[in-house]
């Protein structure tokens, strides 16, 4: 039995996907400054011509990677939220899992670079708004209407996102899961009240 031949469009999309995945890998491994077109090309296992066919510049590549990272984070948030009913602690652990890992780290690298790169910042803002909206949906699924109906719901969502970013940055120098658990527990006590 012969394998089904891929169309030209499928091959182009596969190459593009490999480039974006390689970019994320490079952001995590080498940071923003160390993510070069050459490294991405080598990691993806493609020619320079193929890279330039899809992305004419590093800025184009990183802009696309910004949206790709956001899409992956959105998918993970929704996947985690759709796993059924859970206690407050299970919900917080689930969010912590979704708001960490390589895609989250790649996103942080892009955030830091956007501070001094207006083009990257412009690309990052809509993608991060989508992630924020997805996080609000996830919190609604995890903690129910009694939380989403609260006057401070927007602050609750934003503070949790800021807290996860801070924990991710702090973990670079201090890997202390017990401290992170206590800090997230303190956040939950403040915003969610007693355990459910």
């Amino acid at each position: 039995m012969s394998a089904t031949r891929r169309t030209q469009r499928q091959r182009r999309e596969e190459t593009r996907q490999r480039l974006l995945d390689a970019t994320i890998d490079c952001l995590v491994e080498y940071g923003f400054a160390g993510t070069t077109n050459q490294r991405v090309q080598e990691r993806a296992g493609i020619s320079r011509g193929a890279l330039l066919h899809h992305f004419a510049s590093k800025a184009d590549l990183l802009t696309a990677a910004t949206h790709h990272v956001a899409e992956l984070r959105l998918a993970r948030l929704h996947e985690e939220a759709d796993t059924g009913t859970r206690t407050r602690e299970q919900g917080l652990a689930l969010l912590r899992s979704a708001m960490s890992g390589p895609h989250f780290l790649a996103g942080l690298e892009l955030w830091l670079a956007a501070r001094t790169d207006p083009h990257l910042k412009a690309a990052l803002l809509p993608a991060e708004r989508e992630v924020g909206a997805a996080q609000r949906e996830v919190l609604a699924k995890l903690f129910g209407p009694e939380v989403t109906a609260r006057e401070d719901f927007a602050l609750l969502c934003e503070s949790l996102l800021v807290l996860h970013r801070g924990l991710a940055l702090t973990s670079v120098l201090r890997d202390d899961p017990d401290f992170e658990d206590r800090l997230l527990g303190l956040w939950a006590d403040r915003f969610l009240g007693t355990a459910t």
Side-chain angles (χ1 to χ4, degrees), residues 89-187:
E89 286 72 22
Q90 290 169 328
L92 287 170
L94 201 142
L95 278 172
R96 182 174 169 191
S97 170
M99 301 297 285
S100 61
H103 301 141
F104 192 75
L105 292 175
L108 283 176
E109 286 291 330
L110 292 167
W111 263 68
L112 292 172
R115 184 181 72 82
T116 57
D117 185 331
H119 180 73
L120 187 58
K121 183 177 182 178
L124 193 57
L125 285 172
E128 285 300 316
R129 284 188 190 111
E130 289 180 40
V131 171
Q135 182 185 337
R136 287 189 292 279
E137 290 175 24
V138 168
L139 283 173
K141 287 179 184 177
L142 291 176
F143 302 119
E146 66 279 358
V147 173
T148 58
R150 290 175 37 170
E151 191 175 294
D152 64 350
F153 181 64
L155 178 62
L156 180 146
C157 293
E158 190 61 27
S159 68
L160 184 58
L161 188 55
V162 169
L163 180 57
H164 279 108
R165 285 186 191 122
L167 288 173
L169 288 173
T170 301
S171 71
V172 170
L173 298 177
R174 173 184 171 175
D175 188 20
D176 186 350
D178 290 335
F179 168 76
E180 293 175 11
D181 287 341
R182 287 193 315 272
L183 189 59
L184 286 168
L186 183 64
W187 177 91

Side-chain angles (χ1 to χ4, degrees), residues 21-82:
D21 290 340
T23 303
I24 291 170
D25 290 346
C26 288
L27 284 166
V28 172
E29 188 172 342
Y30 304 110
F32 180 81
T35 299
T36 63
N37 282 2
Q38 180 69 31
R39 278 192 168 139
V40 170
Q41 171 193 329
E42 289 171 1
R43 178 71 57 105
I46 62 156
S47 69
R48 178 157 178 78
L51 171 68
L52 293 174
H53 172 75
H54 288 277
F55 304 104
S57 68
K58 182 179 177 181
D60 291 341
L61 176 64
L62 290 172
T63 297
T66 296
H67 294 284
H68 186 58
V69 166
E71 288 166 10
L72 292 170
R73 288 173 56 207
L74 285 169
R76 182 153 183 214
L77 279 169
H78 285 296
E79 178 184 310
E80 295 286 355
D82 292 335

Side-chain angles (χ1 to χ4, degrees), residues 6-14 53:
R6 293 173 297 143
T7 65
Q8 179 72 16
R9 183 179 188 170
Q10 289 170 322
R11 288 191 302 273
R12 273 195 311 265
E13 185 53 38
E14 181 183 290
H53 172 75

